[in-house]
Amino acid sequence: PRAKPPARAPPAALGSPLSMARLRSGLGGAAAMAAALLSSVCPSANAEELIDFYVGAGCFWHVQEVVNQAEEDVLGRDSSSISGIAGYAGGKDNAGDVCYTNYASKGQAEVVMIRRVPRSQLPAMVQKIWPAIFAGGARSDSVNIGTQYRAALGLPGGASGDLFEEVDAAQPSEARASLKAGAGDDGDTVGQSLIYVYDTAAFPFHQAELYHQFHNYKRLYTASLEKRGDLKKMSCPSQAQAFWYHMSH
């Protein structure tokens, strides 16, 4: 004959200490599961906003070096996390490839894009960068003349966004400029205490060719950013072709 199964313990009476312990355990597990599910689909309420913005003031070679140094000093970045790359922005014509051979005719300016800057560090970045590229509010590079060298600042929302006042307030006194909403294809600002401000959505950033990146310094950054997908090879004329174009214009 089959052995009788062991007798099961009777269910704990509702309200008994054992019953309440099981209930609390079940509710705790459900709460933990709900929290895990929520965190997988919603960003943490404590996650800091990361800002992408661009700045230009004359030739982008010098501006990029200043920006990269600020990333290292203020944000603690290195070759594995540096983000500042040279490019073009601020023009009305954003169709097709924007290259060194056509960016000026498209109304674009030379700028440097900085990505993933914690919002709380934006004022410190402004205070570090501005004195190195502006003097009395005017762009320090007065050698390069033309609309493509105008002082430019690209922010999410532009002059109407909530970052505009934060940047304006952060400008150091020795480099403070008047911030003005840019219309696109704006004129040169050489000799003027003026920076045109662009909405990064309406006036997007276009990466410059690889030969323009990290000019004469830290070229290892190029390989690092290519590997991360933050830099790519452009379908633009070669460096030699661009050189002859520049010499003839």
Side-chain angles (χ1 to χ4, degrees):
R2 294 183 180 178
K4 290 184 179 181
R8 294 183 179 179
L14 185 63
S16 70
L18 179 58
S19 174
M20 295 305 293
R22 287 175 178 171
L23 179 61
R24 285 193 294 270
S25 176
L27 290 175
M33 185 178 297
L37 178 62
L38 186 63
S39 65
S40 68
V41 297
C42 299
S44 168
N46 296 323
E48 185 168 6
E49 182 182 4
L50 300 180
I51 306 298
D52 293 351
F53 72 99
Y54 58 73
V55 62
C59 175
F60 52 22
W61 290 347
H62 169 63
V63 176
Q64 185 181 27
E65 188 168 6
V66 168
V67 164
N68 293 155
Q69 190 63 55
E71 289 187 271
E72 294 176 3
D73 295 346
V74 177
L75 306 178
R77 292 180 173 175
D78 57 21
S79 61
S80 67
S81 54
I82 210 80
S83 74
I85 60 173
Y88 316 107
K92 294 179 180 178
D93 183 357
N94 292 284
D97 293 329
V98 178
C99 303
Y100 187 62
T101 51
N102 67 3
Y103 82 98
S105 64
K106 286 176 170 285
Q108 309 288 344
E110 295 192 7
V111 299
V112 175
M113 169 64 86
I114 311 102
R115 300 191 187 278
R116 301 177 292 275
V117 176
R119 185 165 182 167
S120 63
Q121 294 296 318
L122 183 59
M125 288 292 285
V126 170
Q127 290 160 11
K128 182 72 175 181
I129 294 169
W130 260 231
I133 61 175
F134 297 108
R139 61 183 180 89
S140 300
D141 176 7
S142 58
V143 175
N144 293 289
I145 305 297
T147 61
Q148 67 269 38
Y149 300 114
R150 64 187 179 272
L153 173 64
L155 297 171
S160 301
D162 57 356
L163 292 172
F164 179 87
E165 291 185 0
E166 290 184 33
V167 172
D168 192 24
Q171 292 190 89
S173 58
E174 70 274 20
R176 170 170 291 279
S178 174
L179 303 183
K180 179 181 179 181
D185 300 6
D186 299 283
D188 195 2
T189 59
V190 65
Q192 304 175 64
S193 178
L194 174 64
I195 304 173
Y196 286 111
V197 181
Y198 300 99
D199 183 343
T200 51
F203 298 96
F205 172 80
H206 304 272
Q207 180 205 304
E209 297 84 344
L210 292 181
Y211 62 80
H212 278 307
Q213 308 297 335
F214 312 106
H215 190 73
N216 291 337
Y217 76 100
K218 295 187 177 180
R219 299 306 295 267
L220 61 90
Y221 282 174
T222 299
S224 177
L225 269 76
E226 279 191 277
K227 185 176 181 180
R228 298 197 323 254
D230 288 339
L231 266 180
K232 60 183 180 180
K233 293 180 179 178
M234 310 297 295
S235 55
C236 289
S238 68
Q239 184 173 4
Q241 291 171 316
F243 172 79
W244 287 112
Y245 174 86
H246 180 73
M247 294 298 291
S248 62
H249 287 73

